[in-house]
Amino acid sequence: NENPLGPSPKAVEAVKRSAETMSVYPDASGHDLIQAISVKFDIPAKNIILGNGSDELIHLLGMILLSSPEDEVIVGDPSFVRYDAAAQLAPSRLIKVPLDAEDRHDLPAMARAATEKTRIIFIANPNNPTGTIVTRSDLDAFLGDLPKQAVVVLDEAYFEFGHYRSADLNRPETYPDSADFVREDKRVVGLRTFSKAYGLAGLRLGFGFAPEEIVDGIQRAREPFNVNALAQAGGIAALQDDEFLGKTLASNRQGLDLLESTFRSHGCSIHTSYANFIFADIGRPAEPVFQALLRQGVIVRSGHVLGRPTALRVSVGTPEENAKFVHAFETVMKEPALR
């Protein structure tokens, strides 16, 4: 689930230059990167956090917000498994709320599950693995229904794809932005990553927006040099590479269109994806299909491990990779033993 076009060319050049001084410890504060993020997203530097991937930020949020086995963490089901680990490592109580009929986070049900012991509510938007979103109005209503001590973590790892997709569908006003909630002093943390749209997964670089007291907690809990010098240099350059980002988003849209039409032609059930993958219910056990695709050199994610035994998650690749998947999938679906 990476960028099939590779990394931002500007980031590659910046990393090469930075490598010449890698005998020197990185800037522990990440000052220049934070300033670049502040300018790019129009949010004060005091509200920005950096991490060794957004995975580390999820872990750190668990460290600073969970202090008792009675503390509660609410997550959607299925969603990103790293949220489960934040609760389990504390350890705290993990509450899983099934997605709704459209495979979106069921915010009313999550609000009903919240109590005075709820400390964190994780919402992946777009959701991994389903690619669905909750809207700005959904979140406004949801935040008003929560106990005041609960912190909502909006994991926006696929933000760029979702923002582009919502505009493409003429629904830009519906797509939420965690930075807006932070500017409004809501108890919301937004997480972003350079791993997806910017193509820097190998550098492990995540960032986020948060209230000042949470930023302070993260700064106290993190390791001194958690974001390395090459990652900082690459991140600054990637933020300036609008041309590469545009190519990534356009290529992703074309891939989504192809995958959607392929699944629909086989009678599969899908929802509009706002990410860089499709989650499809193929109407039959997915594990044999997954294994048959694997034998043809095509790797997808079987819904079997996600509690959805008839579903597949398929990432968008290059045009050549997408075509290879389509050919393999259509071949496999014709095999009588797999019908």
Side-chain angles (χ1 to χ4, degrees):
N1 189 19
E2 299 147 344
N3 191 323
L5 303 185
S8 154
K10 288 186 177 181
V12 171
E13 291 304 314
V15 168
K16 288 179 179 178
R17 291 193 298 270
S18 180
E20 296 176 359
T21 58
M22 63 183 173
S23 60
V24 180
Y25 281 105
D27 174 8
S29 70
H31 175 272
D32 290 349
L33 177 56
I34 286 178
Q35 292 301 316
I37 293 170
S38 175
V39 171
K40 181 75 172 183
F41 299 101
D42 189 25
I43 191 166
K46 65 183 180 181
N47 294 120
I48 296 172
I49 48 179
L50 301 178
N52 182 28
S54 55
D55 281 12
E56 185 194 31
L57 294 174
I58 292 169
H59 173 65
L60 290 171
L61 287 166
M63 287 181 61
I64 68 172
L65 296 174
L66 303 173
S67 59
S68 164
E70 295 183 353
D71 288 345
E72 297 170 348
V73 176
I74 298 176
V75 301
D77 185 27
S79 194
F80 187 37
V81 296
R82 193 64 185 80
Y83 312 147
D84 300 18
Q88 293 160 353
L89 290 171
S92 293
R93 185 184 177 210
L94 178 65
I95 300 172
K96 293 192 172 187
V97 177
L99 304 181
D100 66 16
E102 296 181 348
D103 279 338
R104 307 187 322 145
H105 279 83
D106 191 338
L107 297 187
M110 296 177 88
R112 291 192 296 272
T115 73
E116 293 302 318
K117 296 179 181 179
T118 301
R119 296 294 178 266
I120 306 176
I121 302 174
F122 284 106
I123 299 172
N125 203 48
N127 186 40
N128 181 5
T130 60
T132 53
I133 64 167
V134 293
T135 66
R136 170 70 198 227
S137 59
D138 292 334
L139 284 169
D140 283 334
F142 177 66
L143 293 173
D145 290 338
L146 296 178
K148 64 180 181 179
Q149 83 288 341
V151 173
V152 174
V153 179
L154 282 180
D155 187 348
E156 299 174 320
Y158 306 95
F159 176 84
E160 293 81 6
F161 299 107
H163 187 267
Y164 183 87
R165 185 71 160 167
S166 62
D168 192 41
L169 296 172
N170 294 317
R171 305 171 190 167
E173 74 285 348
T174 68
Y175 192 68
D177 182 338
S178 63
D180 292 335
F181 295 111
V182 174
R183 294 188 197 99
E184 296 164 9
D185 295 323
K186 303 288 179 62
R187 287 183 65 78
V188 171
V189 174
L191 300 181
R192 304 275 179 92
T193 182
F194 283 89
S195 295
K196 310 300 183 185
Y198 295 104
L200 305 185
L203 288 182
R204 307 307 303 131
L205 180 58
F207 66 101
F209 314 124
E212 285 187 73
E213 65 271 19
I214 291 179
V215 173
D216 181 65
I218 293 288
Q219 294 285 42
R220 293 170 183 269
R222 70 175 177 85
E223 294 184 8
F225 301 104
N226 63 325
V227 178
N228 69 75
L230 303 186
Q232 291 184 41
I236 293 170
L239 288 175
Q240 301 167 356
D241 200 345
D242 292 335
E243 180 181 359
F244 175 77
L245 181 60
K247 288 180 179 178
T248 292
L249 299 179
S251 176
N252 187 69
R253 178 182 62 184
Q254 294 170 359
L256 286 177
D257 289 344
L258 175 63
L259 295 182
E260 285 182 356
S261 63
T262 299
F263 282 123
R264 288 200 172 99
S265 70
H266 287 274
C268 303
S269 175
I270 62 173
H271 300 292
T272 299
S273 174
Y274 288 80
N276 62 343
F277 52 79
I278 293 277
F279 191 72
D281 189 325
I282 63 175
R284 65 195 70 184
E287 188 65 17
V289 175
F290 164 78
Q291 294 294 341
L293 289 171
L294 191 61
R295 288 192 291 273
Q296 295 195 48
V298 176
I299 303 174
V300 298
R301 173 63 60 86
S302 171
H304 177 75
V305 298
L306 302 167
R308 298 291 184 88
T310 60
L312 293 175
R313 192 195 76 171
V314 181
S315 294
V316 175
T318 63
E320 294 76 18
E321 291 167 343
N322 296 334
K324 181 174 182 177
F325 164 77
V326 170
H327 175 75
F329 181 72
E330 291 180 341
T331 301
V332 168
M333 294 298 278
K334 293 176 183 176
E335 296 180 18
L338 296 175
R339 288 181 181 174

